[in-house]
Amino acid sequence: MAHASVASLMRTIESLLTSNSPMQSLICDHREELCALREKVSSLEVFVKNFEKNNVFGEITDFEVEIKEVASAVEYTIQLRLTETVLGEEKSIIGIIGSRFFKGISNIWTRQKFRKCLQQLAKDIDHVWKELTKIQDKGKQVSKESLVHDFSSSANDIVNVNNNMVGRDDQKERLLEDLKGSYSGEPKVIPIVGMGGIGKTTLAKEVYNHESILRRFDVRAWATVSQQHNIKEILLSLLQLIMDDTVKSKGEAELADMLQKSLKRKRYFIVLDDIWSCEVWDGVRRCLPTEDNAGSRILLTTRNDEVACYAGIESLSLRMSFMDQYESWNLFKSAAFSSEALPYEFETVGKQIAAECHGLPLTIVVVAGLLKSKREIEDWRSVAKDVKSFVTNDPDERCSRVLRLSYNHLTSDLKACLLHFGIFPEDSDIPVKKLMRSWMAEGFLKLENDLEGEAEKCLQELVDRCLILVCKKSLDGTKIRSCKVHDLIYDLCVREIQRENIFIMNDIVLVYSYSECRYLTMQKMQPFKRVTGDYCPFGFYRVLLTPVHRQLRHFSFGLNNNDLLKRTHSIFSFGLNVPIYVLKPELIHFKLLKVLELRHEEIDNFPLQILSLIWLRYLSLFCLENLDIPPVICRLWNLQTFIVRGPMQSVKITFPEEIWGLMQLRHLKLPEFYLPNPPSISADKGSHMGFSNIQTISYLSSDCCTNEVILGIQNVKELGIRGYETVSMSIRDSGILNNLVHLQQLETLSLIFFFSHFPASAKAFPAMLKKLKLGDTYISWSYLDIIAELPNLEVLKLMNAACCGEEWRPNVKGFTRLKLLSIEDNDVKFWKATNDNFPVLERLVLKECSSLKEIPIEFAEIHTLQLIELSRCLPELGESAARIQQEQEELGNNPVDVRISDLRKYIAFIRGHTLFLVYTSQIVHKSYLALPHILSQK
């Protein structure tokens, strides 16, 4: 995919011409040459994007290979020469320190060398354009029938797909009967076996969340195994619902013991998804209790008949069959049209396409996702013709070809974004913010003010095409929090990365020497020999390298570690549990690094070696002690994302004034940091530097929320501020929160700890504020009357000790746009409110409200209310929610969905007038009016 290389080059040139870089004087001397180069590359980018869009068969031409090699070589050359210049100018030459004469000679020689370099690079691009002219001339002779339409979709065209399972009713009912059957003795194992993409995981999820299963079992747990299995990770997945984060540091034997004890004498239901070998099953089986667990079930999904026969009972094994034509058409229709009326001509072609998918659900939904935004019949006929051409009796090969068809119809930028999933471990849930920020850092997205908006569009486009699975959404349902890809899509990504030679994935594996000292080894000289959990027990870094092209051979690349370090442009860490010194000395050699993730290693001071990585765009660290960032941080002029993870109450990061020179900075996420006032940029000191591109900041120390700092971050959209740890310390607060009114772009605000002076008026808050989160602020409940006046507030989260007092009685008709209200770990006992106080509320979430016994009955009159979710609350609160549900039914409204959960005591849910309660090993099925009596007997 030549476009990825050209786009990356274009982003590098743009950043040089628009940024406040350390080599500004050098850039100014050659601005004319760089601008000319930018114009040529920009035109090349447009041509390549259109060329790849029309190349729906995905054939790699010699022309594309040449473009990719030239673009990679040009970018590498520019970066390497400028790196040598920046780092070289800071060293004295031939041992004469401070000699202006020799420095002058050095500067003249460097500039002449760089000018010659740019001239040669321009010639290389001109040579490519000569080849383009020939192709354009040939293209004029190509018939229109060989070209395809643009299959990208706009937000207005998107049709939501019904996420419920379509078809498979008989198999689902049979599986539910087997799961609920009254078997005695050891837990029964039920395998679901079938080829990839046939719907094993979808069926397993459907029964896992079924009402009857919730009532039947005391404990449910799910673990995804995959080919690169790791027993410890499987155990952590099974324990995550009943344990806190401290279990992550424990060993495999200790985790197995914890799992045994947590399941002892309970009826459990465990799903092990995507098991590939009998050895893995043996490893997990030994960790599960078998005595006093009558009625327990273990559900396996596997492609391997041997595993199914070895692990399960033949009579209980469920083999997934292909969908019949009726089921195939219903699935295709729901994915492509949902509830939209279907024109007859589309139905005819659609049934042909569904039939050619031969009953494989994954291929059906992927092809439907390709067509869902298109309402031109010719587009459908074109795809039907392509799908029909895949004549093969091998269902795996047929599935692979259909998936590749969908991939080939993606635009170049969407292809690059999808292939990026191939660098993460298979079957892993990927945080969306991390994914999108790495897309930005790799240069996949056009350099515009709203990079995040472009990234969200790409993500949503891939979701709508059914190429990405949504794992988790935000509490209000508006944002995707994590996602993953089906393992067949994952295999496609890995194959395409290798086939198109976009980059090489290499793994730096941590091992022990005989002296028990950890050291680095660069493994996998052959690309794509990926590690497994057993292969790297101490973790590994996954690095992305520029391939060795013909254009780069004059740089003497070989197979030694030094050359690999030179070509590395990204480092991600997975499963690491070792100190930073393992990698720290090596950082100096990664000269052209764009992404550096060291989030699993503990550091006690800022690694100075990082300051040599002037092309770095994404930096993630982990520390347990305070950090002082050195002034030379200004070298990292390309930095977009800077993340430091660590305990919020013990880690403070102090930035120097030079941090304001990082003009590309978009995301600052740290436990707590101090930001000094920005330096003046005018003689009268009336104007100051600022982060013009900043999007996210947290958690900023309240001590530095001066008017100057707030004006310097006035474009921020998400902001977190950390107040004072005690009331006595908060006396230093002089009304700093009033400065927030200048943040006209701010949409999300988080405030934690004490502030003695909250704004006295809603007008002192940012006008565009949509989400507000408070924690440990100890404000009075009556102060929320001011919050209620915020005109655009849609989400309010009151976390631990956000408010103090036993009664909340709103006195104003406010919260006119509030859709989500979440209250967690607060001491309120009495809540008096009407529907006028929350007129458009959709979701109410109450967690660990240990004193609250009643939700205002007037909430039954809120017509927009859809969900009441209670967790670890008093049983009386469940009764109150049930009364609201009944009241809504009596008023003729759609009853609110009520979900009650407390893993320490019970799980409950309400359907109609009936509350289902699950407590330890007994199942209770009673009227909601009897709930207090039921719980009192427990």
Side-chain angles (χ1 to χ4, degrees):
M1 189 170 60
H3 179 265
S5 300
V6 178
S8 181
L9 169 61
M10 189 63 187
R11 303 298 88 81
T12 295
I13 297 175
E14 287 176 338
S15 66
L16 286 172
L17 291 172
T18 59
S19 299
N20 181 25
S21 67
M23 65 281 286
Q24 193 172 27
S25 60
L26 181 62
I27 299 302
C28 290
D29 290 344
H30 304 287
R31 191 171 188 85
E32 185 176 342
E33 290 94 334
L34 281 170
C35 286
L37 189 61
R38 178 179 63 179
E39 292 303 313
K40 294 180 179 183
V41 176
S42 178
S43 300
L44 184 62
E45 183 180 20
V46 172
F47 180 89
V48 171
K49 189 170 186 177
N50 289 330
F51 180 87
E52 292 183 351
K53 180 179 69 176
N54 292 327
N55 183 21
V56 295
F57 296 107
E59 298 175 355
I60 300 176
T61 64
D62 292 339
F63 160 70
E64 287 181 281
V65 172
E66 183 174 3
I67 288 182
K68 182 167 55 180
E69 292 188 353
V70 169
S72 296
V74 170
E75 182 178 22
Y76 181 88
T77 305
I78 291 174
Q79 291 180 331
L80 191 61
R81 295 294 178 234
L82 290 177
T83 302
E84 292 171 349
T85 300
V86 171
L87 301 182
E89 286 184 349
E90 296 178 359
K91 300 177 182 178
S92 58
I93 60 174
I94 61 174
I96 303 177
I97 300 176
S99 170
R100 294 183 179 179
F101 172 74
F102 281 103
K103 283 186 177 179
I105 293 177
S106 176
N107 289 339
I108 293 172
W109 180 81
T110 298
R111 281 160 171 72
Q112 289 178 344
K113 184 178 179 181
F114 188 57
R115 176 171 280 111
K116 290 181 179 180
C117 175
L118 289 176
Q119 291 170 351
Q120 180 58 49
L121 296 178
K123 290 180 181 178
D124 293 340
I125 298 295
D126 286 338
H127 173 72
V128 171
W129 268 113
K130 289 181 181 179
E131 297 297 319
L132 285 182
T133 304
K134 297 177 183 178
I135 291 177
Q136 285 177 317
D137 291 339
K138 290 181 180 179
K140 294 176 182 178
Q141 304 171 11
V142 179
S143 63
K144 293 182 180 180
E145 285 76 13
S146 65
L147 300 178
V148 298
H149 298 286
D150 180 9
F151 276 80
S152 61
S153 62
S154 67
N156 294 330
D157 294 328
I158 298 303
V159 181
N160 291 326
V161 180
N162 187 349
N163 290 322
N164 294 328
M165 188 176 69
V166 177
R168 308 289 197 189
D169 293 337
D170 293 342
Q171 291 179 318
K172 183 177 77 171
E173 290 304 318
R174 181 204 148 175
L175 186 56
L176 286 172
E177 289 178 7
D178 291 339
L179 290 171
K180 295 182 293 182
S182 56
Y183 298 101
S184 58
E186 293 186 357
K188 295 298 183 290
V189 180
I190 304 176
I192 304 178
V193 62
M195 68 171 289
I198 203 164
K200 301 184 298 295
T201 302
T202 302
L203 178 59
K205 286 183 178 178
E206 190 77 7
V207 298
Y208 184 78
N209 293 311
H210 197 270
E211 294 177 10
S212 62
I213 298 300
L214 290 174
R215 298 195 302 268
R216 175 71 176 170
F217 295 97
D218 307 329
V219 178
R220 295 178 308 138
W222 181 295
T224 301
V225 181
S226 75
Q227 285 180 276
Q228 279 75 43
H229 66 275
N230 183 315
I231 295 296
K232 179 177 178 180
E233 292 298 324
I234 296 172
L235 295 175
L236 286 172
S237 296
L238 296 176
L239 282 165
Q240 67 179 354
L241 290 177
I242 49 179
M243 298 294 175
D244 54 31
D245 290 339
T246 59
V247 300
K248 294 180 180 179
S249 61
K250 300 183 183 301
E252 185 178 310
E254 194 172 358
L255 290 173
D257 183 62
M258 293 174 65
L259 184 61
Q260 286 262 0
K261 292 178 179 177
S262 65
L263 299 178
K264 192 173 183 180
R265 295 190 181 91
K266 292 181 181 177
R267 183 186 296 163
Y268 60 79
F269 176 39
I270 287 177
V271 178
L272 299 174
D273 186 33
D274 199 19
I275 286 191
W276 285 74
S277 70
C278 299
E279 290 76 17
V280 179
W281 163 243
D282 284 335
V284 178
R285 180 181 59 178
R286 287 191 291 266
C287 303
L288 301 175
T290 57
E291 298 180 4
D292 300 323
N293 296 102
S296 294
R297 297 290 184 271
I298 303 167
L299 186 64
L300 309 181
T301 73
T302 181
R303 304 183 194 182
N304 194 328
D305 283 306
E306 181 185 359
V307 173
C309 294
Y310 179 79
I313 302 173
E314 185 176 355
S315 61
L316 294 179
S317 181
L318 176 62
R319 174 169 290 279
M320 296 288 290
S321 58
F322 292 105
M323 286 184 161
D324 59 30
Q325 288 191 358
Y326 177 77
E327 291 177 321
S328 297
W329 169 237
N330 281 340
L331 178 60
F332 181 91
K333 185 169 59 174
S334 68
F337 282 91
S338 188
S339 58
E340 186 180 348
L342 187 64
Y344 174 76
E345 57 184 356
F346 284 91
E347 180 175 346
T348 302
V349 179
K351 285 183 176 179
Q352 294 175 3
I353 296 173
E356 293 298 335
C357 291
H358 297 276
L360 192 63
L362 180 63
T363 59
I364 293 170
V365 297
V366 168
V367 175
L370 169 66
L371 293 170
K372 68 190 300 182
S373 63
K374 291 299 153 189
R375 294 299 178 261
E376 295 293 333
I377 191 62
E378 288 305 316
D379 293 338
W380 284 55
R381 288 172 178 161
S382 175
V383 171
K385 182 179 179 181
D386 290 337
V387 175
K388 192 173 183 179
S389 68
F390 299 149
V391 181
T392 173
N393 293 325
D394 184 351
D396 289 307
E397 176 64 20
R398 187 163 53 236
C399 176
S400 177
R401 291 183 184 183
V402 171
L403 295 181
R404 188 147 180 253
L405 169 68
S406 184
Y407 169 79
N408 289 336
H409 275 289
L410 295 175
T411 58
S412 297
D413 48 354
L414 287 178
K415 285 181 180 178
C417 291
L418 179 64
L419 294 186
H420 202 62
F421 281 85
I423 72 172
F424 295 93
E426 186 179 2
D427 280 322
S428 59
D429 289 5
I430 305 167
V432 161
K433 286 186 177 180
K434 175 182 176 179
L435 178 70
M436 294 196 300
R437 290 167 187 171
S438 61
W439 285 350
M440 299 176 206
E442 296 288 354
F444 297 157
L445 307 173
K446 196 168 183 179
L447 200 60
E448 297 176 346
N449 288 333
D450 192 14
L451 270 176
E452 290 72 20
E454 286 299 309
E456 287 183 359
K457 286 180 182 178
C458 288
L459 180 71
Q460 190 60 51
E461 180 81 19
L462 293 172
V463 169
D464 292 326
R465 290 173 180 267
C466 302
L467 293 170
I468 291 179
L469 304 173
V470 176
C471 299
K472 185 179 180 181
K473 282 195 170 187
S474 60
L475 203 56
D476 61 352
T478 59
K479 296 283 187 180
I480 301 173
R481 293 301 185 209
S482 66
C483 60
K484 64 190 296 186
V485 292
H486 190 281
D487 52 1
L488 291 180
I489 303 290
Y490 183 85
D491 292 340
L492 170 72
C493 293
V494 173
R495 282 198 308 270
E496 289 300 310
I497 290 170
Q498 184 179 20
R499 187 179 75 93
E500 300 187 29
N501 201 25
I502 299 171
F503 52 77
I504 294 175
M505 285 196 297
N506 214 340
D507 293 328
I508 307 176
V509 183
L510 303 178
V511 300
Y512 274 110
S513 68
Y514 290 111
S515 61
E516 292 298 306
C517 294
R518 295 185 178 99
Y519 65 93
L520 288 175
T521 61
M522 187 71 83
Q523 299 288 342
K524 197 170 64 63
M525 292 307 177
Q526 296 84 25
F528 302 97
K529 182 183 176 184
R530 294 192 304 276
V531 298
T532 67
D534 295 333
Y535 181 62
C536 52
F538 308 111
F540 65 97
Y541 300 99
R542 175 150 293 167
V543 300
L544 310 185
L545 299 92
T546 302
V548 181
H549 298 312
R550 289 170 294 177
Q551 298 284 342
L552 296 177
R553 284 178 183 167
H554 62 279
F555 287 105
S556 301
F557 282 138
L559 288 178
N560 59 67
N561 276 14
N562 227 12
D563 295 330
L564 292 173
L565 298 178
K566 285 181 182 178
R567 292 190 287 118
T568 300
H569 59 78
S570 298
I571 298 179
F572 297 88
S573 60
F574 298 110
L576 294 173
N577 188 24
V578 292
I580 183 66
Y581 70 80
V582 173
L583 186 60
K584 190 188 296 185
E586 304 289 338
L587 290 175
I588 191 70
H589 302 293
F590 294 102
K591 298 181 184 297
L592 307 185
L593 206 60
K594 295 178 182 177
V595 175
L596 178 59
E597 183 185 55
L598 303 177
R599 62 188 179 92
H600 291 94
E601 298 81 19
E602 301 173 7
I603 62 173
D604 52 11
N605 56 69
F606 189 84
L608 297 180
Q609 295 87 343
I610 290 177
L611 300 175
S612 299
L613 311 178
I614 65 173
W615 300 99
L616 203 61
R617 294 174 182 165
Y618 181 101
L619 176 61
S620 179
L621 305 174
F622 179 80
C623 69
L624 294 176
E625 299 182 16
N626 293 345
L627 281 184
D628 288 328
I629 307 299
V632 197
I633 189 71
C634 60
R635 270 187 184 176
L636 306 183
W637 57 280
N638 280 294
L639 197 63
Q640 297 174 342
T641 300
F642 185 19
I643 298 172
V644 177
R645 303 184 188 279
M648 180 170 290
Q649 296 187 6
S650 59
V651 176
K652 297 181 181 179
I653 292 91
T654 302
F655 283 109
E657 187 181 75
E658 287 78 3
I659 188 67
W660 291 99
L662 302 184
M663 306 302 292
Q664 297 295 319
L665 201 59
R666 307 182 74 84
H667 303 282
L668 267 175
K669 187 171 179 61
L670 310 102
E672 180 185 7
F673 67 95
Y674 180 83
L675 195 62
N677 285 342
S680 302
I681 56 176
S682 61
D684 60 2
K685 297 186 178 182
S687 181
H688 297 79
M689 294 181 69
F691 295 136
S692 58
N693 294 309
I694 199 71
Q695 303 290 308
T696 305
I697 290 181
S698 67
Y699 274 91
L700 184 64
S701 172
S702 55
D703 283 332
C704 54
C705 290
T706 62
N707 196 58
E708 291 80 6
V709 168
I710 295 300
L711 290 174
I713 62 171
Q714 58 184 310
N715 292 327
V716 70
K717 293 183 178 179
E718 295 183 29
L719 174 63
I721 302 178
R722 192 176 190 271
Y724 303 92
E725 294 185 17
T726 65
V727 175
S728 59
M729 293 174 63
S730 68
I731 60 173
R732 298 182 301 186
D733 177 3
S734 56
I736 53 175
L737 294 183
N738 290 318
N739 293 327
L740 300 182
V741 70
H742 300 297
L743 303 178
Q744 295 300 310
Q745 305 298 320
L746 191 68
E747 296 180 355
T748 302
L749 176 63
S750 298
L751 302 175
I752 59 173
F753 293 109
F754 294 98
F755 296 87
S756 61
H757 294 88
F758 266 79
S761 167
K763 294 181 179 180
F765 283 90
M768 298 302 295
L769 193 63
K770 294 181 179 180
K771 299 181 180 181
L772 178 61
K773 178 181 176 180
L774 304 175
D776 290 305
T777 47
Y778 289 92
I779 60 175
S780 65
W781 288 102
S782 61
Y783 183 79
L784 295 182
D785 286 348
I786 293 177
I787 302 294
E789 295 177 8
L790 296 176
N792 295 298
L793 192 66
E794 297 178 0
V795 176
L796 177 61
K797 296 182 180 180
L798 304 175
M799 310 305 287
N800 175 57
C803 300
C804 58
E806 295 184 348
E807 184 176 4
W808 183 15
R809 189 187 296 269
N811 293 317
V812 295
K813 293 183 179 181
F815 294 118
T816 55
R817 294 193 179 182
L818 192 69
K819 297 178 180 179
L820 169 68
L821 174 62
S822 177
I823 306 176
E824 181 173 345
D825 198 9
N826 278 271
D827 294 330
V828 62
K829 288 185 178 181
F830 308 103
W831 187 7
K832 303 296 181 182
T834 69
N835 56 311
D836 290 334
N837 299 127
F838 305 95
V840 295
L841 190 67
E842 296 177 0
R843 297 187 176 197
L844 174 64
V845 180
L846 303 175
K847 296 182 180 181
E848 297 191 66
C849 295
S850 56
S851 301
L852 187 64
K853 296 182 178 180
E854 185 175 14
I855 302 169
I857 190 62
E858 289 82 0
F859 274 41
E861 299 177 28
I862 302 177
H863 303 299
T864 54
L865 191 60
Q866 300 171 9
L867 172 67
I868 297 177
E869 184 175 339
L870 309 179
S871 177
R872 298 178 183 176
C873 296
L874 294 175
E876 291 88 344
L877 205 59
E879 178 187 1
S880 173
R883 282 200 298 267
I884 290 174
Q885 188 183 60
Q886 182 186 26
E887 183 79 11
Q888 285 188 321
E889 287 186 341
E890 292 175 354
L891 291 172
N893 300 328
N894 290 327
V896 63
D897 186 13
V898 178
R899 301 175 189 170
I900 309 172
S901 64
D902 183 346
L903 296 178
R904 295 172 302 181
K905 293 181 179 180
Y906 62 90
I907 300 175
F909 56 93
I910 298 172
R911 291 289 183 270
H913 291 173
T914 302
L915 181 142
F916 297 100
L917 177 66
V918 180
Y919 181 86
T920 62
S921 62
Q922 298 183 30
I923 310 302
V924 182
H925 177 185
K926 295 289 184 181
S927 158
Y928 62 83
L929 294 177
L931 176 59
H933 174 68
I934 295 169
L935 291 179
S936 67
Q937 293 181 328
K938 299 294 179 183

